[in-house]
Amino acid sequence: MNAEIIAVGSELLLGQIANTNAQFLSAQLAELGINVYFHTVVGDNADRLEKAVKVAQTRANLIIFTGGLGPTKDDLTKETIARLLQRELVIDKEALHSIEAYFARTGRTMTENNKKQALVLQGSTVFRNEHGMAPGMAMTVGAITYMLLPGPPKEMQPMFSKYGRPFLMEKLDRHERIESRVLRFFGIGESQLETEIEDLIEQQSNPTIAPLAGDGEVTLRLTAKHHSEIEAKKLLDQTEQAILTRVGRYFYGYNDDTLFKNTVKLLKEKKKTVAAAESLTGGLFLTELTAIPGASQVVRGGVVCYTNEVKEKVLHVPASVLATDGAVSERCAKLLAENVRALCGADIGISFTGVAGPDPLEGKSVGTVYIGISTSENETAVHALALSGPRDAIRTRTAKYGCSIILKKLAAACL
């Protein structure tokens, strides 16, 4: 099954909102083994939408629409598809009742145009909207399946997960299972990772290997097809092992894992606590850690030591060190890590100092970073990095590097 996703809405073309719906649907369809070859965005114009649909009909046998199902005149997806498919639009009684109940419950007056949201293609499978008003729908005409979903992600995503995905699974070959697994890597660029496993990617057939980069990380989605679930997982295991043999030192987790989530998890398992002194990252490291449920068991506290005055008066970095070595230095990072650990009574002290930009600092170039790690068992280690990219990217990657260092040391029983 080859799919095209058509997002309808002038606000997308104007750059007022991002097309996150296509991103979500592409990931979902990939898990089902459905190829997505085209994303199309069309404004609120019936003629242009009709032309886009006619193009999609020549190259896809699954066309998914998002948006244009609302009550206003510029919501025209259903009307356009009904005209193209020569189908009537009829009121779905359950949807109408749900819309009327919403207005009654909220004490608002229901205008006549809201009934438009209850219109569906005659003969289609209707998807209930449990997070909004306009229902979704799907139907197959000839060799092409059409699926219409609402535009707001908070409505579209749960609707597709509960109704759209099962509908498509019924259309697929039920004798073949599809199993997916995401491998997560940090500390290696997408181009380097692809170079390391280039021959595996070129030879891929089953499982397939799909690289994706973002936020300083790289992921590989492995997708296997087989009549047996056990055999499909064996195929994934074999491919994963071949990949990790080459780049396993950069691997940190699977699927929805994050560096921060895994750091909290491993700290719990090892019964270790952490405290952070954050200059460069300005509290970002602890913000991300404490967003993880259960972080209170492992996070002792920290200090945002953005100025030299705080470094000196709160974390007791000598003025002489700040004057000679500078705040952006190995020696400063070492003292910050040791002193924040002592101050907070933690097992592990970690510090972040460096130059995020846009300008150099203390004669150090943008991207110069020092991360200190202090424990009672080992001598304090300082990791020097030379990062590139915009300010926010450097700060985010620095915080992630902190997690990566802790994870590796905990896994090696060095902390």
Side-chain angles (χ1 to χ4, degrees):
M1 185 174 282
N2 299 326
E4 178 159 347
I5 299 169
I6 300 180
V8 183
S10 297
E11 65 276 10
L12 294 165
L13 293 174
L14 294 171
Q16 295 171 344
I17 62 171
N19 188 12
T20 57
N21 285 342
Q23 180 185 30
F24 170 82
L25 288 170
S26 286
Q28 292 289 312
L29 295 174
E31 290 181 5
L32 294 175
I34 297 174
N35 306 309
V36 179
Y37 290 140
F38 298 96
H39 285 180
T40 300
V41 180
V42 186
D44 300 309
N45 180 282
D47 291 337
R48 287 192 286 272
L49 176 57
E50 184 172 328
K51 290 176 183 176
V53 175
K54 288 180 178 178
V55 171
Q57 288 172 329
T58 67
R59 59 193 186 188
N61 50 17
L62 170 63
I63 307 175
I64 300 181
F65 302 84
T66 61
L69 305 184
T72 60
K73 290 183 178 180
D74 61 357
D75 290 311
L76 40 76
T77 301
K78 286 183 290 192
E79 290 78 1
T80 304
I81 304 307
R83 185 171 62 253
L84 278 170
L85 301 183
Q86 298 182 341
R87 290 293 193 277
E88 295 291 328
L89 286 173
V90 296
I91 289 287
D92 181 81
K93 293 182 179 178
E94 184 178 355
L96 181 59
H97 175 73
S98 177
I99 294 169
E100 290 172 339
Y102 167 80
F103 280 97
R105 187 170 61 251
T106 57
R108 296 166 55 193
T109 301
M110 177 176 164
T111 56
E112 188 65 24
N113 62 348
N114 276 289
K115 290 183 179 179
K116 175 186 173 186
Q117 295 186 93
L119 289 171
V120 298
L121 293 166
Q122 189 173 36
S124 64
T125 299
V126 179
F127 304 152
R128 288 181 58 197
N129 190 336
E130 298 172 1
H131 300 269
M133 295 191 202
M137 66 208 77
M139 69 185 307
T140 300
V141 178
I144 302 176
T145 297
Y146 302 82
M147 182 177 291
L148 284 65
L149 301 170
K154 67 177 183 179
E155 299 177 28
M156 187 279 292
Q157 292 185 14
M159 180 186 291
F160 180 83
S161 297
K162 187 170 183 178
Y163 299 110
R165 185 180 174 117
F167 177 89
L168 292 175
M169 290 178 70
E170 290 293 330
K171 293 285 183 183
L172 297 170
D173 181 359
R174 299 295 290 179
H175 300 293
E176 187 172 59
R177 294 192 62 88
I178 298 169
E179 297 289 335
S180 290
R181 182 181 303 168
V182 174
L183 309 182
R184 295 190 168 274
F185 301 85
F186 181 76
I188 183 172
E190 183 182 18
S191 58
Q192 183 185 348
L193 179 65
E194 287 195 30
T195 298
E196 295 283 347
I197 62 170
E198 185 175 8
D199 58 315
L200 299 179
I201 294 175
E202 289 177 351
Q203 296 165 12
Q204 66 174 321
S205 57
N206 186 26
T208 58
I209 305 171
L212 176 67
D215 290 332
E217 301 186 31
V218 184
T219 62
L220 294 176
R221 177 180 290 278
L222 313 182
T223 303
K225 299 178 182 180
H226 201 280
H227 300 299
S228 163
E229 178 182 0
I230 294 174
E231 292 302 317
K233 288 182 177 178
K234 282 184 181 179
L235 290 171
L236 292 177
D237 291 340
Q238 292 167 5
T239 302
E240 176 185 333
Q241 186 56 47
I243 292 169
L244 295 187
T245 297
R246 304 184 189 187
V247 291
R249 62 190 179 278
Y250 303 106
F251 171 75
Y252 77 82
Y254 297 96
N255 300 324
D256 295 328
D257 286 345
T258 69
L259 284 161
F260 299 101
K261 187 187 297 184
N262 285 15
T263 298
V264 170
K265 179 182 177 182
L266 199 51
L267 285 169
K268 286 182 183 179
E269 291 177 2
K270 301 289 186 178
K271 295 182 169 54
K272 298 289 186 179
T273 58
V274 66
E278 301 192 60
S279 179
L280 168 71
T281 49
L284 178 62
F285 175 78
L286 285 181
T287 295
E288 294 292 344
L289 276 192
T290 55
I292 308 301
S296 60
Q297 298 176 39
V298 298
V299 176
R300 293 286 294 175
V303 177
V304 176
C305 48
Y306 218 58
T307 65
N308 282 359
E309 184 179 10
V310 174
K311 291 179 179 71
E312 180 182 351
K313 293 185 176 180
V314 178
L315 289 172
H316 309 298
V317 177
S320 58
V321 171
L322 296 172
T324 55
D325 296 73
V328 182
S329 67
E330 181 177 340
R331 193 174 177 194
C332 182
K334 177 178 182 293
L335 291 169
L336 288 173
E338 293 172 346
N339 295 349
V340 78
R341 180 174 67 83
L343 176 68
C344 296
D347 297 309
I348 304 165
I350 186 168
S351 67
F352 303 91
T353 185
V355 187
D359 302 312
L361 180 67
E362 298 180 347
K364 310 290 197 324
S365 60
V366 173
T368 301
V369 172
Y370 295 96
I371 302 176
I373 296 284
S374 169
T375 66
S376 59
E377 297 91 350
N378 302 294
E379 184 179 347
T380 301
V382 177
H383 300 260
L385 305 172
L387 305 181
S388 60
R391 177 181 175 84
D392 285 346
I394 290 173
R395 295 175 70 247
T396 299
R397 287 172 63 196
T398 298
K400 288 183 174 182
Y401 264 107
C403 286
S404 180
I405 292 167
I406 291 175
L407 284 171
K408 288 178 180 177
K409 289 186 176 293
L410 285 172
C414 294
L415 294 180

